[in-house]
Every structure is written in C-alpha cells, then in structure tokens.
Amino acid sequence: QRSHPWAIAMASSVWMRSLRNALVVPRASSVAVKAGKAAQGRRSFFASKNLFSDALSVHRDTAYNNADTVWDFTPENYAKIDDVLSKYPPNYKRSGVMPLLFLAQKQCEHMKEHGNTGWIPLAAMNKIAKILDMPPMRVYEVATFYTMYNRSPIGVHNLQVCTTSPCMVAGAYKVLDGLKAHLGVSVGETTKDGKFHLMEAECLGACCNAPMMQIAGPVTNDAYYEDLTVESAIKIVEQLRKGETPKSGSQTGRHGSIGPQGKTVLLEEPNGPYCREFA
C-alpha cells in the first residue's frame, strides 16, 4: 500500500524536529547559562584544520618530471623486485604496486640527478606499470591516494613528526612548532635550500618513547628519533645540516622503552619454553 504524499512529508518533518532537538545542548546549570548563546545553541561540527603544502595534488609536466624523463631501477633493485613478486601469484603481480612505489622512492634518495630526495617521478610510475602489466593510471591512483608517496621533489631530509594522541600529550606540537620556527617553513613545505621537508605523521608505533619523529633520507634511512624536546630536535637538524649522522633512538639515553625507574620486571632468566632450532 502506497503512502500518501502528505503522510511522507509529515514523517519527514517529525524526524527533522527530533534531530534538531537531539543536537540542542541542554541548559543543565547556571554555568551553562552564563556561558552565553554559544553554549546554549546547537552543537557545532568541526573539521580538521586544512594542511597546506608546496606540492601539487595533480601532475604538471616539468623539465625534470615528465613521461620522457630517463629513469630505471638499479640492478640491485630489480633483484628486490623479483623477490617482491615471488610473493604473489603471476596473475596477481600487480598487488606488488605499493612496495615497488616505495622502492622507487627510496632509490631516488640516492640519485643525484633527481635531487637525492625521496620522491617518485612520473617515469618511475610508468616503469612500474610496465613491470606489473597494469595500466599506468592504476599506478597513479595508488601513488596519489597514499600520503607516504611523494610525487614531487622534497627536501633531502624528510622530517616526519608524529602528532597522534600519545605524542601530542607528550609535547609533539611543541617540537613541531620549534622545528617550524627554526626552519622557517610550515607543515608540508621544504626549506629554500632544499635540505629539509617538514610534515606531520600519524602513529609511528613508538608511543612509549613519545614525542618522536622519523627522518627519511640518504643519511638517516627512515630512522626513529625518540624522547624529543625542542632543543634535541633542533640539534638533530643541525647535525644533518653539517653532514653528520645523528644518533637514532632515544635522545635521553634510555635503553629501548625502559621507564624512568629502570627495569622493574622480568629481572631473571625466563624458565621457557625456549625457541627451537630450525637450522
């Protein structure tokens, strides 16, 4: 049985009125009243702050990045590609597109003709498409979706500051703001000398040693730098500027993730079971 149009309109009106009532903040106390109209009105919906970058979200041909750019994997990386593809059935080898993109990006960190920065030229994406027997557009789709892939040159040293909850409460934004002020760039930008690129990263899995950052590049090779302060983060940057290799791991000298009181549990040799020898 079909509903009459006025009945549908009435039901819609009731539903919308219920939704508005649900979004109204109740006046629970005199404190809420004194807070003014903002506290008494409807709840606001917030979106994350827009992050700006000096990188384009679409491809633009340049003299150093176009379909005719000379680019190929090294013999060592072709061996790694064979190892990657051996993990997939022959008819599913296009599943290896992500590790191959990462391999191409890491190779560019060591290619002077591509600025010694971790990025993926258009020619590299086309090469990957040919290796995997897939349309180039499919490779572009993956490379443009994930933020871990850079499709334009960035700084030689990519400073990735973790700002997820554990690092945030431990002072990650103080570290990030300190680096922004010291380098003179905002998040997503590269310094004028092309040495450093600054970005925010989601959880990097070193929450016990927060705040921390990961630095990609030909010197640090994705190393973690943990227990940071503004001063220690700037010190790391200046070491890289001088061509030195900063000490990775905790910057306070603690071993692993041991707390400030030292090791307090598992002080004796475990009773087993022990790992078997498979040799």
Side-chain angles (χ1 to χ4, degrees), residues 34-246:
K34 294 179 180 179
K37 294 181 179 179
Q40 300 171 11
R42 295 182 179 88
R43 295 175 183 171
S44 299
F45 292 89
F46 297 94
S48 299
K49 180 182 178 182
N50 290 330
L51 297 180
F52 298 96
S53 171
D54 54 6
L56 291 173
S57 59
V58 294
H59 175 75
R60 294 284 187 270
D61 272 354
T62 62
Y64 57 84
N65 186 19
N66 56 71
D68 297 324
T69 302
V70 177
W71 197 97
D72 200 357
F73 285 104
T74 63
E76 294 79 10
N77 280 340
Y78 269 116
K80 293 180 181 179
I81 290 173
D82 290 339
D83 181 61
V84 169
L85 298 185
S86 68
K87 301 174 182 178
Y88 305 101
N91 56 326
Y92 285 99
K93 64 180 181 179
R94 62 180 57 186
S95 298
V97 62
M98 292 188 68
L100 264 63
L101 283 168
F102 182 72
L103 194 61
Q105 182 163 287
K106 297 302 294 180
Q107 178 174 307
C108 280
E109 291 180 356
H110 302 276
M111 300 179 73
K112 185 177 181 180
E113 62 271 31
H114 291 288
N116 289 118
T117 70
W119 69 293
I120 309 172
L122 180 68
M125 298 185 211
N126 293 339
K127 176 65 67 174
I128 291 171
K130 186 175 182 180
I131 292 172
L132 299 179
D133 293 327
M134 60 190 298
M137 179 55 68
R138 297 301 186 193
V139 181
Y140 307 157
E141 289 172 348
V142 176
T144 54
F145 182 81
Y146 292 100
T147 57
M148 63 184 286
Y149 301 124
N150 304 306
R151 293 173 295 101
S152 59
I154 60 172
V156 175
H157 309 290
N158 187 11
L159 312 177
Q160 305 162 71
V161 182
C162 178
T163 55
T164 313
S165 301
C167 284
M168 179 185 69
V169 300
Y173 279 108
K174 292 182 180 179
V175 173
L176 183 64
D177 291 341
L179 289 172
K180 287 163 62 176
H182 183 72
L183 296 172
V185 297
S186 297
V187 172
E189 295 180 347
T190 301
T191 55
K192 293 181 179 180
D193 60 3
K195 292 290 185 181
F196 299 97
H197 182 82
L198 183 63
M199 63 177 289
E200 288 187 58
E202 292 303 317
C203 184
L204 294 170
C207 308
C208 290
N209 297 8
M212 58 83 61
M213 66 178 172
Q214 181 182 28
I215 304 180
V219 176
T220 52
N221 194 30
D222 299 312
Y224 277 20
Y225 297 86
E226 305 158 350
D227 296 317
L228 293 174
T229 62
V230 174
E231 293 74 22
S232 61
I234 292 175
K235 179 181 177 182
I236 291 169
V237 166
E238 289 307 307
Q239 286 179 297
L240 290 171
R241 196 189 300 276
K242 296 175 183 177
E244 302 172 359
T245 302

